[in-house]
Amino acid sequence: MELPTSSRLNSRKRRKDGSGPNGATELDGIPPKMSRRSLGLREPAPFSDEVEIDYSKPYVRVTYEEAMRGTPLDRPVRVYADGIFDLFHSGHARALMQAKNLFPNTYLIVGVCSDELTHNFKGFTVMNENERYDAVQHCRYVDEVVRNAPWTLTPEFLAEHRIDFVAHDDIPYSSAGSDDVYKHIKEAGMFAPTQRTEGISTSDIITRIVRDYDVYARRNLQRGYTAKELNVSFINEKKYHLQERVDKVKKRVKDVEEKSKEFVQKVEEKSIDLIQKWEEKSREFIGNFLEMFGPEGALKHMLKEGKGRMLQAISPKQSPSSSPTHDRSPSPSFRWPFSTKTPPSSPATRSRNQSAVTYDISEDEED
């Protein structure tokens, strides 16, 4: 009985208390791990003419209900599945796996039709009958292989191989003038349906090869097959070789384009880095220039300091502020301190004296 959702959630929360791996319990729905041993068979399935059948025991078919309940180990349910099995693929293997797992105790017999029957009723095959027999023999679900299987199952064939059920997909298989070759098997209650695997079939594989014929022809020519082996004409052979050379040139051009793109990308990255560094350096240079030569730059202060020093060097020393000041005469005329009278002088001397007086007066005013 399945546990409620809340119980399952609680059991997941208590995984650490469980006895399973990583704290998992049986209630978590985690399938138990298989023991470390070889699960595959070591030998291929035998052919039906190589298997001994004890005909001393009477052949009694088991019913569907008996088969589902399970039969004794010495009396497995004998299930028969037939087919062409050309280009044996996963769809074939899955169909045989379903047939093998129809009942708890199943012995799977697989019939493979011969080339003659297949070519007459269905069409040409890629693999011959021996290759198809061998492919089915090596499927792990097969217990016995019937070579040259009949196209339509007869009561004699079913009795000879003591078949209980016939497994096949439920889609009517029209062939050999019949709407469904399994119709009489279904009416007898011996039909066990299986499901087809979508997306994979022998016809699909052949369609892919035909669709991309040129690709595979060129592929095999590169691998050393001759044009005669591939049934390729001389002109097509030269065409394939030319296409191969063109593809190589295209690949080289593509590689060069990718490398050039990488180079251009690297150059762009480096150019962006150089531009950023140049902008940083230019900002730094402009800032330094403004600090030196700007309106409030260091050069202006240096010129002011130099001008002040020059003026100090040119101008005479000032008298100390503690020295007594002399009252000047209110007379508008200037008098030399060492003479009470102005000495007579020539006009040139007079002009020089006037300029000197002017300079002294300006200096006194500054003091």
Side-chain angles (χ1 to χ4, degrees):
M1 182 176 179
E2 187 178 1
L3 290 174
T5 306
S6 59
S7 300
R8 283 183 290 172
L9 292 175
N10 293 333
S11 65
R12 290 192 184 98
K13 293 179 181 178
R14 295 193 298 270
R15 279 182 179 178
K16 294 183 178 180
D17 300 333
S19 58
N22 299 326
T25 61
E26 295 181 357
L27 298 178
D28 291 334
I30 301 174
K33 292 185 178 180
M34 294 183 177
S35 59
R36 189 181 295 274
R37 60 187 178 87
S38 177
L39 298 177
L41 301 177
R42 296 181 181 272
E43 296 180 359
F47 292 115
S48 59
D49 52 7
E50 300 173 349
V51 178
E52 294 183 0
I53 299 177
D54 187 6
Y55 291 100
S56 61
K57 295 180 181 180
Y59 167 60
V60 179
R61 258 195 75 243
V62 297
T63 63
Y64 184 80
E65 291 75 12
E66 292 174 345
M68 291 301 295
R69 284 198 301 265
T71 57
L73 294 177
D74 59 346
R75 176 57 176 95
V77 180
R78 297 173 68 86
V79 176
Y80 178 82
D82 59 357
I84 309 302
F85 302 106
D86 190 22
L87 296 176
F88 192 89
H89 50 75
S90 62
H92 295 141
R94 289 177 180 274
L96 298 179
M97 180 185 68
Q98 294 178 55
K100 180 69 175 179
N101 291 281
L102 284 172
F103 309 107
N105 185 16
T106 302
Y107 184 85
L108 181 59
I109 306 169
V110 179
V112 182
C113 299
S114 65
D115 288 344
E116 182 180 359
L117 282 176
T118 306
H119 296 167
N120 290 334
F121 291 107
K122 190 169 184 179
F124 191 75
T125 58
V126 178
M127 301 168 64
N128 58 44
E129 58 184 25
N130 292 323
E131 292 171 339
R132 293 185 285 113
Y133 297 155
D134 189 64
V136 175
Q137 267 189 300
H138 289 82
C139 180
R140 63 183 298 179
Y141 309 110
V142 179
D143 298 306
E144 184 179 329
V145 176
V146 178
R147 291 179 286 192
N148 193 15
W151 197 260
T152 303
L153 300 179
T154 61
E156 294 77 16
F157 179 83
L158 297 175
E160 178 186 357
H161 294 279
R162 301 194 171 193
I163 296 170
D164 296 312
F165 295 95
V166 176
H168 200 272
D169 61 82
D170 202 14
I171 301 174
Y173 194 83
S174 59
S175 179
S178 174
D179 294 336
D180 188 2
V181 296
Y182 297 101
K183 182 178 180 181
H184 64 289
I185 302 296
K186 295 177 181 177
E187 292 174 351
M190 297 178 63
F191 189 81
T194 58
Q195 299 295 324
R196 293 178 63 91
T197 302
E198 297 296 333
I200 182 68
S201 68
T202 302
S203 299
D204 291 339
I205 296 174
I206 294 175
T207 301
R208 297 179 202 172
I209 297 173
V210 173
R211 181 187 59 199
D212 300 326
Y213 169 77
D214 291 347
V215 175
Y216 293 113
R218 289 167 53 189
R219 170 184 178 272
N220 282 4
L221 285 173
Q222 292 175 12
R223 296 190 173 220
Y225 288 89
T226 63
K228 185 178 180 180
E229 290 174 332
L230 297 174
N231 196 23
V232 174
S233 64
F234 177 79
I235 296 175
N236 286 336
E237 181 186 5
K238 298 304 177 184
K239 182 185 73 173
Y240 293 147
H241 285 305
L242 180 60
Q243 289 177 349
E244 184 64 26
R245 293 177 184 176
V246 170
D247 289 343
K248 288 182 179 179
V249 172
K250 288 181 179 179
K251 186 178 180 181
R252 290 178 183 176
V253 171
K254 186 176 180 180
D255 294 340
V256 171
E257 288 180 354
E258 292 178 355
K259 291 181 180 179
S260 61
K261 287 180 181 179
E262 293 178 358
F263 177 75
V264 170
Q265 186 176 1
K266 290 180 181 179
V267 170
E268 288 179 353
E269 292 176 356
K270 289 184 178 180
S271 62
I272 291 172
D273 294 338
L274 290 174
I275 291 172
Q276 291 177 351
K277 291 180 180 179
W278 182 82
E279 289 179 351
E280 293 176 358
K281 293 294 183 181
S282 62
R283 291 193 192 99
E284 183 179 355
F285 176 77
I286 292 171
N288 295 335
F289 182 84
L290 292 175
E291 288 180 0
M292 178 62 70
F293 301 101
E296 298 297 331
L299 182 62
K300 183 176 182 181
H301 294 291
M302 291 171 62
L303 293 175
K304 284 183 179 180
E305 292 178 359
K307 184 177 180 182
R309 290 176 183 176
M310 290 175 64
L311 290 176
Q312 289 180 2
I314 293 173
S315 62
K317 296 182 180 180
Q318 298 179 356
S319 60
S321 58
S322 59
S323 60
T325 58
H326 300 281
D327 296 333
R328 292 183 180 176
S329 171
S331 174
S333 61
F334 180 79
R335 301 289 184 182
W336 290 93
F338 301 106
S339 62
T340 57
K341 293 181 180 181
T342 302
S345 58
S346 63
T349 305
R350 194 178 299 114
S351 64
R352 286 198 300 270
N353 292 335
Q354 288 178 358
S355 63
V357 170
T358 306
Y359 174 78
D360 292 338
I361 291 172
S362 65
E363 289 294 325
D364 290 340
E365 287 176 355
E366 287 180 1
D367 293 339

